[in-house]
Amino acid sequence: MVVLSQPALDHFLLLQPCKPTPLFTGIPVVDLTHPDAKTLIVNACKDYGFFKLVNHGVPFDLMANLEHETLKFFKKPQSDKDRAGPPDPFGYGSKRIGPNGDVGWLEYLLLNTNPDVISPRSLFIFKENPQNFRVAVEEYIRAVKNMCYVVLEMMAEGLGLGVAQRNVLSRLLEDEKSDSCFRLNHYPPCPEVQALNGRNLVGFGEHTDPQIISVLRSNSTSGLQICLADGTWVSVPPDQTSFFINVGDTLQVMTNGRFKSVKHRVLADTTKSRLSMIYFGGPPLSEKIAPLPSLMLKGEESLYKEFTWWEYKKAAYTSRLADNRLGPFEKPAAH
Ligand code: GA4
C-alpha cells in the first residue's frame, strides 16, 4: 500500500470539519411500474432535480458484469492505464478532472457513446482490453439508454405535454447524432483521511451536470451527496440495484427553470472503494437549447438566452467544476 504523507493530500480538496453530512432518508423513490410514475418523476425533478429509480427493468446482471469488467481494468498496472490517457476529454484520467485544474480522489474512464463518432481514445481502450469489456459496456449502455427514453417520455407526459409531444425529450437522446457520454469512476479508499481531524477528502467536487439527464449506478459504497433547495448537503444512501437520476442544466433550461439541475459531489471513503457508472444523455451538438414552447404559459418568457448545445459545451470546457455554468446564459431579470 502506498502511504501518502499529509502534504500530498493537501493537493486535494479537503472539506473543513463540520457536522457529518446526514444520511438522507427523504430521497424521492420512483417505481417505474407505478401508475403515477409520471407525476412522481415530475415532482421529484421540481423539488430535488434528483430521484432514485426502482423497478426499472435493467437486469442486475448487466450492472454486476460491467462492474466486474471495469474493476479488471482499474486493477491493471498504472503504466497500462496511462496509455489510455490523458483524457482528450475521452480516455483514462487519474486525479485531474477536466482541463482547468480541478482534482479529485479518483481515477476514471470517459467514453463517448455514439458508435458512429467513437473517439480514437475509446477505440484504443477497447482494442487494448479483452472483448468482454467492450461487450459489457455496450450491453449496459443499450439497456440504460432504452430505460432512459421511457423515463423521458414519462417526464414529458407528466409535464402535461400530451401524447403527441411525449418524445420531445427522448428524441434528443435517440437521435443518431446525440452527444452523450459514459463515465466509469473508481474512488479508491483513502485510509489517511482518518488523520485529517474530521475533514473529508473530495472524490469529485461539487458541480451540476451540463447535459439533459444523468443516470448513475454505483456499488454499495456511500459517498454521493446532493445539495437540497435550502443549500444543505445530504448523503445519498447507496443502492446497487437502483439508478439515481440527475436533472442536468439543459433540462433546467428546456423546462424554463421548473426542474433544477442538482448540485452534487462525491466524498472519498476511508475503507471501501466506490465504483460508479454514469450515462450522460445529451442532445446533438447543433440542437438549439430553449424552453419547450408547448410548456410555456401565456406571457411566460424564457429565463435564458438561446444557445446551441455546442456553444454550451464549449463554454463548459472553459469552466471550473464548481462554476455556475448557466449563469452567463441567464437573461437579466425584468423589473
Ligand atoms: C461534469 C459531468 C460529466 O462528468 C462531464 C464532466 C466534464 C469532464 O470531466 O470532462 C467536465 C464537467 C463535467 C463540467 C465542467 C468541465 C467539463 C469537467 C470540467 C471541468 C463528462 C461533463 O460533461 O461535464
Side-chain angles (χ1 to χ4, degrees), residues 89 97-100 102 108 110 181 183 204 207-211 280 309 316-321 325:
I97 301 169
N100 304 313
D102 289 289
Y108 59 87
L110 193 54
C181 59
R183 174 163 214 141
F204 206 117
H207 66 285
T208 60
D209 293 339
Q211 293 80 0
F280 301 94
W309 169 239
Y317 273 95
T318 64
S319 72
R320 295 292 298 261
L321 207 48
R325 275 173 282 285

Side-chain angles (χ1 to χ4, degrees), residues 45 49 51 148 151-152 155 167-175 178-181 208-215 245-255 259-262 279-284 287-289 292 309 312:
C45 291
F51 60 94
C148 204
V151 172
L152 289 174
M155 220 176 245
N167 72 349
V168 283
L169 299 169
S170 57
R171 69 173 180 86
L172 299 172
L173 271 58
E174 282 188 80
D175 193 301
S178 148
D179 179 38
S180 298
C181 59
T208 60
D209 293 339
Q211 293 80 0
I212 297 174
I213 191 170
S214 320
V215 181
I245 311 286
N246 285 6
V247 169
D249 296 341
T250 301
L251 189 53
Q252 175 170 324
V253 175
M254 293 181 82
T255 58
F259 292 180
K260 294 278 180 307
S261 57
V262 63
Y279 166 72
F280 301 94
E287 188 71 23
K288 285 210 171 74
I289 309 300
L292 295 165
W309 169 239
Y312 194 64

Side-chain angles (χ1 to χ4, degrees), residues 30 32 51-56 147 151 241-245:
V30 177
L32 204 53
F51 60 94
K52 168 166 150 168
L53 191 66
V54 302
N55 265 327
H56 44 68
M147 180 212 69
V151 172
T241 64
S242 303
F243 290 109
F244 291 96
I245 311 286

Side-chain angles (χ1 to χ4, degrees), residues 4-18 105 190-202 268-270:
L4 290 166
S5 63
Q6 254 178 259
L9 282 181
D10 282 347
H11 292 292
F12 294 89
L13 259 184
L14 295 169
L15 294 182
Q16 288 314 313
C18 50
W105 190 259
C190 184
E192 291 79 14
V193 168
Q194 250 145 16
L196 295 175
N197 303 326
R199 287 180 298 172
N200 282 303
L201 182 63
V202 174
D269 195 276
T270 48

